[in-house]
Amino acid sequence: MKILHTSDWHLGRSFHRVGMLGAQAEFIGHLVTTVREHAVDAVVVSGDVYDRAVPPLAAVELFDDALHRLAGLGVPTVMISGNHDSARRLGVGAGLIGRAGIHLRTDPSTSGTPVMLSDAHGEVAFYGLPYLEPALVKDEFGVEKAGHGAVLAAAMDRVRADLAARPRGTRSVVLAHAFVTGGAPSDSERDITVGGVAAVPAGVFDGVDYVALGHLHGCQTITERVRYSGSPLPYSFSEADHRKSMWLVDLAADGTVTAERLDCPVPRALARIRGTLEELLADPALARHRDAWVEATLTDPARPADPMARLTERFPHILSLVFEPERAPDDPAVSYARRLAGRDDQQIAEDFVAHVRGTGPDEHERVVLWDTVDAVRAAEAVNEVAR
């Protein structure tokens, strides 16, 4: 069975004020063409179909077009909701849409109920695990302490129990939206650390033939059977080195997996350049970036006059300007933002306690801080789902 694995469309998202809807429509067309030309048997979309819980109308219209075109091919499609999606909104009409071969899996309670597809070698069970927000699903899965590892493990227990009850030789595919240990994040993924440690071990998914992951925007192989497709388009300059693609997975009769990367259309190259303003304006090696979307980091000790206007003359598609003066680490002019770079909310809170009191928090206070940060994030997640 040939399976096309994609995820993280983020329909409706912009790239540094540049609307991406046209590029997203081009990707949908490319997806449909790929399904046809490679004789794909099933398409899987592993979450973050939309960029936000209440997407703009144009994004909904594009999704509607995608559904019609995929259904028109007669190739079954399985989709799950991600942490950017509103699961309830995305799942509206799922039963009716399923009759057209588009199977939306947005309800955590159905994690152990697969979409059954078949080929010449027998049946393949597709289990859709939508993004599992620990604070919202811990009761559904009967876990005492909300955590990504715990709820995913409980969902996979349901998958394995269902699979064990099926005829021997039934192959299996799991769709999941999660941060799996070993994956490399970028700047454009929304933080999902609520509920404890965000990353879950790949071993959580043991017992199935292929795991189609979503959430991280870089295409990556965790194991031969556990892969991220990544987003089909870039959504931050941290993705400048990404090769945007989809996985064409061949699931053999015995469950063996082989996978091929298929490139996605590139709307415009990304470039990150760094140096003083005069260096960026004069360096002949940078001429190749004239047609790229550019992020320029200026290292001048003082902000030069009109840097954006001057850079735009050489790089017409520059979108981001960052100031990072080259100073000694102990220079009092080093910005607050730079001092916070790479530090999570827990570390920042602990540093604040140490700054105010003179000593850092003890173990009990660390737990209180963690629980408080967790509670705020959980409340934000609940509020977004309720909107």
Side-chain angles (χ1 to χ4, degrees), residues 9 11 21 28 32 49-50 55-72 79 90 92 97 100 102 104:
W9 295 356
L11 300 182
L21 206 64
I28 296 299
V32 171
V49 174
Y50 291 122
L57 179 59
V60 177
E61 290 173 340
L62 180 55
F63 179 58
D64 181 64
D65 177 62
L67 293 183
H68 278 84
R69 296 174 73 178
L70 288 169
M79 296 182 173
L90 187 64
V92 169
I97 295 171
I102 308 292
L104 299 173

Side-chain angles (χ1 to χ4, degrees), residues 27 31 52 54 80 100 106 148 169 203 206 279 317 323 330 350 360 364:
F27 162 70
L31 173 71
R52 56 181 186 263
V54 184
I80 61 172
T106 64
H148 289 278
D206 285 351
E279 289 171 345
H317 305 287
F323 293 95
D330 58 351
E350 291 183 13
H364 171 72

Side-chain angles (χ1 to χ4, degrees), residues 261-283:
R261 285 182 73 175
L262 303 179
D263 291 330
C264 294
V266 179
R268 192 177 294 278
L270 305 186
R272 302 179 102 173
I273 58 178
R274 181 185 181 91
T276 65
L277 179 59
E278 295 306 322
E279 289 171 345
L280 299 186
L281 292 174
D283 187 351

Side-chain angles (χ1 to χ4, degrees), residues 220-241:
Q220 29 199 316
T221 300
I222 306 301
T223 72
E224 287 304 305
R225 295 183 181 274
V226 181
R227 299 171 186 262
Y228 282 99
S229 67
S231 62
L233 294 166
Y235 294 113
S236 73
F237 277 101
S238 65
E239 300 168 59
D241 295 330

Side-chain angles (χ1 to χ4, degrees), residues 25-356:
E26 184 179 357
F27 162 70
I28 296 299
H30 171 73
L31 173 71
V32 171
T33 299
T34 300
V35 171
R36 186 186 300 114
E37 291 183 349
H38 288 269
V40 169
D41 298 303
V43 177
V44 296
V45 186
S46 299
D48 283 353
V49 174
Y50 291 122
D51 188 56
R52 56 181 186 263
V54 184
L57 179 59
V60 177
E61 290 173 340
L62 180 55
F63 179 58
D64 181 64
D65 177 62
L67 293 183
H68 278 84
R69 296 174 73 178
L70 288 169
L73 294 173
V75 176
T77 299
V78 184
M79 296 182 173
I80 61 172
S81 51
N83 61 301
H84 279 250
D85 300 309
S86 165
R88 294 181 65 181
R89 285 188 175 88
L90 187 64
V92 169
L96 185 61
I97 295 171
R99 298 181 187 178
I102 308 292
H103 305 279
L104 299 173
R105 290 293 184 265
T106 64
D107 184 351
S109 68
T110 64
S111 295
T113 305
V115 175
M116 299 301 300
L117 304 179
S118 60
D119 62 8
H121 305 291
E123 290 192 318
V124 181
F126 287 75
Y127 297 91
L129 277 56
Y131 171 65
L132 302 175
E133 179 62 63
L136 304 182
V137 302
K138 63 183 182 68
D139 292 337
E140 165 65 32
F141 290 105
V143 297
E144 294 183 3
K145 183 173 177 56
H148 289 278
V151 296
L152 263 175
M156 282 303 302
D157 285 344
R158 293 187 184 183
V159 168
R160 284 184 283 264
D162 180 86
L163 193 57
R166 296 189 178 276
R168 187 174 182 179
T170 299
R171 290 160 291 164
S172 54
V173 175
V174 165
L175 289 72
H177 196 86
F179 185 3
V180 175
T181 303
S186 63
D187 293 342
S188 55
E189 298 116 8
R190 181 182 296 170
D191 180 38
I192 60 169
T193 55
V194 61
V197 177
V200 299
V204 165
F205 299 104
D206 285 351
V208 296
D209 294 312
Y210 183 70
V211 181
L213 293 174
H215 179 58
L216 299 184
H217 289 181
C219 181
Q220 29 199 316
T221 300
I222 306 301
T223 72
E224 287 304 305
R225 295 183 181 274
V226 181
R227 299 171 186 262
Y228 282 99
S229 67
S231 62
L233 294 166
Y235 294 113
S236 73
F237 277 101
S238 65
E239 300 168 59
D241 295 330
H242 286 190
R243 173 187 163 196
K244 296 302 183 181
S245 56
M246 301 177 285
W247 286 113
L248 181 62
V249 177
D250 196 335
L251 186 61
D254 62 355
T256 302
V257 169
T258 56
E260 175 188 0
R261 285 182 73 175
L262 303 179
D263 291 330
C264 294
V266 179
R268 192 177 294 278
L270 305 186
R272 302 179 102 173
I273 58 178
R274 181 185 181 91
T276 65
L277 179 59
E278 295 306 322
E279 289 171 345
L280 299 186
L281 292 174
D283 187 351
L286 300 180
R288 69 185 188 276
H289 299 314
R290 178 172 177 80
D291 293 325
W293 280 324
V294 171
E295 178 183 73
T297 299
L298 296 184
T299 60
D300 302 74
R303 294 198 180 202
D306 300 321
M308 195 65 164
R310 295 171 67 188
L311 285 166
T312 300
E313 291 180 6
R314 189 177 193 198
F315 308 105
H317 305 287
I318 186 170
L319 297 178
S320 175
L321 190 59
V322 180
F323 293 95
E324 289 188 3
E326 292 185 346
R327 297 189 176 110
D330 58 351
D331 190 317
V334 173
S335 71
Y336 181 67
R338 287 185 64 186
R339 283 186 278 123
L340 295 185
R343 306 183 70 76
D344 60 28
D345 292 343
Q346 177 76 8
Q347 292 170 321
I348 292 170
E350 291 183 13
D351 287 349
F352 178 75
V353 172
H355 173 73
V356 172

Side-chain angles (χ1 to χ4, degrees), residues 8-21:
D8 295 273
W9 295 356
H10 289 277
L11 300 182
R13 187 164 184 163
S14 297
F15 182 81
H16 287 267
R17 307 180 309 281
V18 175
M20 296 290 279
L21 206 64

